[in-house]
């Protein structure tokens, strides 16, 4: 009996010692991890997730840049969201992102929201785009459109129901309208150019923030029409027909890299932007990504179907970025 009691006491003592040892080991590990974390932070080697959101039009450029950046920097983490230009600016002013993509310039109310939040930022033009009006491949009657005809078709008070209502001789087939969503910079740009600043888009248009949904809508109906960034047309040009737009010289012009760069494709040629938060540029991870983005924006723009700006424009942008980052 005494032997059994002695064995039990020794077992309990061993268990207590083992628990203490484990506790010390865990404490040492935690202290060591904390110390290492502080050293990592102090040395600038800690990686911050770079948060980017905004335009679906700019998305292909920034997605491609992020993929290449992460290949070159395996520890880097970059998250590219697609909330539309307006949705991106909302997140930007709420402090949820470091960079904001836009297919239009920032609006006065968005500037005010950033000022009220105490957020300083800089705008960079990263590429050029030609907003493309597209119809179904089976549509063999639309050879060109004027801005006035687009206004007649798309405005909220439009009486246009069929193609025959647009131009005499076109078929009496009901038009199906597909448009980017209201948070999209492409929606804003098209509305301003085709409908005027106060113009509203027709209520029966099907809206989506996803340009691929718009492509599917047009490819699925011979009487559909839509508009989106040139890259999405170029990516799907075998399944879509792009409509020449009559420019300010009275010439019907299709979007292409040449006509967008030259400005002949007007009034739907436009710059694409990224907005950079000044405070975020003090973080080495975010600065390195922003720098990489400006260095590679032209090349990536061409790769995904947009048009690069002159090399000198990117050189100037990099200088401006270094000024913002105090480099």
């Amino acid at each position: 009996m005494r032997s059994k009691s002695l064995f039990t006491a020794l077992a309990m003592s061993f268990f207590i010692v083992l628990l203490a040892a484990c506790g010390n080991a865990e404490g040492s590990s935690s202290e060591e991890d904390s110390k290492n974390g502080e050293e990592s932070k102090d040395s600038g080697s800690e990686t911050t997730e770079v948060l980017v959101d905004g335009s679906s039009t700019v998305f292909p450029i920034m997605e491609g840049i992020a993929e290449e950046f992460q290949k070159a920097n395996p520890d880097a983490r970059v998250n590219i969201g697609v909330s539309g230009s307006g949705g991106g600016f909302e997140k930007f002013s709420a402090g949820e992102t470091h960079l904001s993509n836009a297919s239009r310039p920032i609006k006065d109310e968005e500037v005010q929201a950033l000022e009220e939040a105490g957020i300083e930022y800089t705008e960079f033009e990263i590429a050029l785009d030609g907003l493309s009006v597209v119809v179904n491949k089976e549509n063999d009657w639309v050879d060109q459109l004027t801005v006035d005809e687009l206004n007649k078709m798309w405005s909220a008070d439009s009486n246009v129901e069929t193609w025959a209502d647009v131009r005499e001789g076109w078929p009496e087939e009901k038009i199906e309208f597909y448009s980017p969503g209201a948070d999209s910079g492409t929606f804003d740009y098209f509305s301003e150019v085709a409908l005027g600043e106060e113009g509203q888009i027709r209520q029966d248009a099907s809206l989506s923030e996803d340009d691929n949904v718009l492509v599917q809508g047009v490819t699925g109906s011979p009487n559909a029409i839509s508009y989106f960034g040139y890259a999405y047309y170029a990516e799907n040009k075998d399944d879509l027909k792009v409509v020449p737009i009559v420019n300010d010289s009275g010439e019907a012009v299709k979007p292409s890299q040449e006509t967008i760069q030259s400005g002949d494709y007007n009034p739907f040629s436009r710059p694409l932007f990224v907005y950079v938060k000044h405070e975020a540029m003090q973080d080495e991870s975010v600065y390195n990504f922003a720098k990489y983005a400006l260095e590679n924006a032209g090349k990536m723009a061409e790769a995904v179907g947009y048009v690069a700006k002159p090399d000198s424009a990117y050189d100037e942008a990099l200088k401006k970025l270094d000024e913002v980052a105090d480099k």
Side-chain angles (χ1 to χ4, degrees):
M1 196 71 178
R2 287 176 58 190
S3 176
K4 183 176 180 181
S5 299
L6 181 60
F7 175 80
T8 301
L10 287 172
M12 287 296 295
S13 298
F14 176 78
F15 182 69
I16 291 170
V17 170
L18 181 63
L19 282 177
C22 289
N24 288 338
E26 289 174 2
S28 298
S29 176
S30 176
E31 289 173 9
E32 190 66 28
D33 288 346
S34 176
K35 183 178 178 182
N36 289 341
E38 289 176 4
E39 288 176 355
S40 174
K41 188 172 181 180
D42 291 343
S43 65
S45 61
E46 186 177 278
T47 300
T48 299
E49 182 177 18
V50 183
L51 302 174
V52 188
D53 209 308
S55 167
S56 63
T57 303
V58 182
F59 174 76
I61 301 174
M62 295 302 282
E63 180 190 38
I65 288 172
E67 288 175 357
E68 293 301 315
F69 179 75
Q70 288 173 127
K71 285 179 187 175
N73 302 274
D75 294 332
R77 293 172 292 159
V78 184
N79 188 321
I80 311 290
V82 189
S83 298
S85 297
F89 281 127
E90 287 179 10
K91 292 186 177 183
F92 198 52
S93 61
E96 297 175 15
T97 55
H98 303 118
L99 289 81
S100 196
N101 300 328
S103 58
R104 58 158 173 81
I106 190 168
K107 295 180 178 179
D108 290 342
E109 58 266 31
E110 292 161 343
V111 171
Q112 184 177 351
L114 285 162
E115 288 176 351
E116 290 174 354
I119 294 173
E120 295 183 327
Y121 64 92
T122 294
E123 172 192 280
F124 295 93
E125 289 188 16
I126 61 168
L128 300 171
D129 177 33
L131 186 151
S132 303
V133 178
V134 298
V135 293
N136 188 277
K137 288 284 279 190
E138 295 179 24
N139 184 321
D140 59 3
W141 57 91
V142 177
D143 54 349
Q144 63 183 51
L145 285 168
T146 66
V147 174
D148 286 343
E149 286 173 328
L150 288 169
N151 182 296
K152 180 181 177 182
M153 295 171 69
W154 286 89
S155 63
D157 57 358
S158 173
N159 295 318
V160 170
E161 295 295 331
T162 72
W163 289 105
D165 296 328
V166 181
R167 196 180 296 179
E168 186 178 350
W170 286 359
E172 293 185 3
E173 297 288 344
K174 185 175 175 61
I175 304 171
E176 295 180 31
F177 295 88
Y178 292 89
S179 169
D183 275 338
S184 166
T186 303
F187 174 96
D188 291 335
Y189 189 78
F190 180 83
S191 298
E192 182 178 341
V193 173
L195 309 178
E197 290 187 10
E198 303 301 322
Q200 299 294 318
I201 200 166
R202 58 187 302 144
Q203 295 298 306
D204 61 348
S206 297
L207 275 60
S208 176
E209 301 292 348
D210 186 344
D211 291 329
N212 292 305
V213 172
L214 305 180
V215 170
Q216 291 166 13
V218 177
T219 57
S221 171
N223 291 299
I225 187 169
S226 187
Y227 61 92
F228 34 73
Y230 178 70
Y232 285 94
Y233 159 66
E235 183 180 338
N236 297 278
K237 63 183 179 181
D238 292 338
D239 301 314
L240 296 169
K241 174 182 172 181
V242 72
V243 179
I245 303 299
V246 177
N247 66 13
D248 57 10
S249 299
E251 182 184 0
V253 178
K254 288 183 180 181
S256 69
Q257 292 194 339
E258 292 73 24
T259 61
I260 293 168
Q261 179 74 60
S262 67
D264 289 337
Y265 183 68
N266 65 67
F268 287 125
S269 293
R270 59 177 177 164
L272 301 177
F273 305 92
V274 63
Y275 289 77
V276 170
K277 190 173 296 182
H278 287 190
E279 184 180 9
M281 292 304 101
Q282 302 309 308
D283 186 299
E284 203 67 19
S285 299
V286 183
Y287 165 77
N288 287 338
F289 175 73
K291 181 181 179 184
Y292 187 90
L294 293 177
E295 288 172 339
N296 293 277
K299 179 174 137 185
M300 189 59 67
E302 299 281 0
V304 300
Y306 292 116
V307 179
K309 293 176 67 65
D311 289 343
S312 58
Y314 298 109
D315 292 339
E316 287 301 315
L318 286 165
K319 289 179 185 177
K320 190 192 298 185
L321 180 70
D322 281 348
E323 290 173 6
V324 167
D326 297 323
K327 296 292 183 183

